[in-house]
Amino acid sequence: MRMFLLIATLATLSMSTIARADMITYVQGSLPTAAYTHQDASVRNDLGQTTAKNNSARILVGGLSGASFRGLMSFNLVDIPTNAIVNSISLRMRYEADTATSPSVGGVQPVVLRSINNTFSESTATWDNTFGSSMTLGTTNLSTVNIDPEGAGFTTFASTSDFVSLAQTAVTNGSPLNFAIFAPNADAQTPRNIFRFFSNNDGTAANRPELSVDFTATPVPEPSSIMLVAGGLALAAYRRRRATHK
């Protein structure tokens, strides 16, 4: 019984800290450091082999003259340990009104995040080398916002169980978090119906996409604590042997 109590006490002391919740935010050129970068791009299906707005300050999503515009996003979840548990995740984005000569169809409409099965390069992404062949648009809405393409402001794709699950897989595998921005009611629509989101290339950091992840990190025992446990167990074993041979 004493041996059991000793082991339990030393095991408790061996942890340098208890498991704790933490929050990390990703913004290109700003958070968590000025060196952080992520990938985002726009592609369109009527120009299958042509880059659309891949290095532009805007991500275009929706429909125009029967063509589909979709956004692609990829975040490296640096500084989150692979053994962490993701509690929640959200994406905050700024958007502006479509002020073309023939403006977009007005009215609040859904814009959704969907998973994609691969990463991409924003400098080379096209419809054909993403949705047309190697990349597939998921069928489950990760998160949905309802906005007006003629409106302007900030919107947040809120945390959902599916969004958390996708992020958890990326954290556990140490891989990028990849998803698309898709407007189901505007996709391939003939009347102009374009949502204009600010991208990672906008000149002002506060306008760029902001991904926030709340997670719980499992602490790792410090070497000194491990040695304390080992020493305690050795001492207990020594005392037990002495008591046996008396």
Side-chain angles (χ1 to χ4, degrees):
M1 183 64 179
R2 291 178 180 176
M3 180 71 169
F4 173 79
L5 291 174
L6 176 62
I7 293 173
T9 301
L10 292 174
T12 301
L13 292 173
S14 70
M15 302 305 292
S16 58
T17 59
I18 61 172
R20 62 185 179 84
D22 206 348
M23 172 75 78
I24 190 166
T25 299
Y26 301 97
V27 177
Q28 178 151 309
S30 178
L31 298 170
T33 69
Y36 180 77
T37 62
H38 79 265
Q39 300 283 307
D40 62 36
S42 295
V43 295
R44 53 187 292 178
N45 69 341
D46 61 334
L47 300 174
Q49 293 291 347
T50 304
T51 56
K53 292 288 185 180
N54 297 359
N55 292 296
S56 169
R58 301 294 180 267
I59 300 170
L60 304 184
V61 179
L64 171 63
S65 300
S68 297
F69 289 72
R70 296 176 184 174
L72 305 173
M73 304 195 79
S74 180
F75 287 85
N76 287 313
L77 303 181
V78 297
D79 297 334
I80 299 181
T82 56
N83 67 345
I85 302 301
V86 177
N87 302 314
S88 66
I89 180 170
S90 63
L91 175 68
R92 183 174 183 262
M93 297 189 73
R94 185 174 183 181
Y95 63 100
E96 66 182 5
D98 183 30
T99 56
T101 303
S102 299
S104 287
V105 174
V108 173
Q109 304 164 53
V111 179
V112 304
L113 303 184
R114 296 270 187 91
S115 63
I116 49 180
N117 67 346
N118 206 348
T119 191
F120 62 92
S121 168
E122 69 177 38
S123 61
T124 60
T126 69
W127 185 280
D128 284 357
N129 69 20
T130 54
F131 296 113
S133 57
S134 64
M135 193 174 293
T136 303
L137 181 67
T139 58
T140 301
N141 291 351
L142 304 173
S143 188
T144 302
V145 296
N146 293 287
I147 57 177
D148 188 335
E150 292 186 327
F154 288 90
T155 190
T156 298
F157 293 89
S159 187
T160 67
S161 58
D162 289 311
F163 202 4
V164 167
S165 178
L166 187 71
Q168 183 66 68
T169 298
V171 167
T172 301
N173 295 340
S175 57
L177 173 65
N178 305 315
F179 52 86
I181 309 176
F182 171 62
N185 293 355
D187 200 50
Q189 195 174 85
T190 297
R192 183 180 180 92
N193 202 354
I194 294 292
F195 297 86
R196 296 172 56 88
F197 292 96
F198 287 65
S199 79
N200 63 358
N201 292 302
D202 188 79
T204 302
N207 292 335
R208 298 170 193 158
E210 179 181 298
L211 185 78
S212 297
V213 184
D214 180 278
F215 64 93
T216 299
T218 302
V220 178
E222 295 179 347
S224 59
S225 298
I226 296 175
M227 292 180 65
L228 175 63
V229 173
L233 293 176
L235 177 60
Y238 170 73
R239 288 177 173 173
R240 187 173 59 179
R241 285 196 302 270
R242 287 194 59 186
T244 302
H245 288 88
K246 284 184 178 180

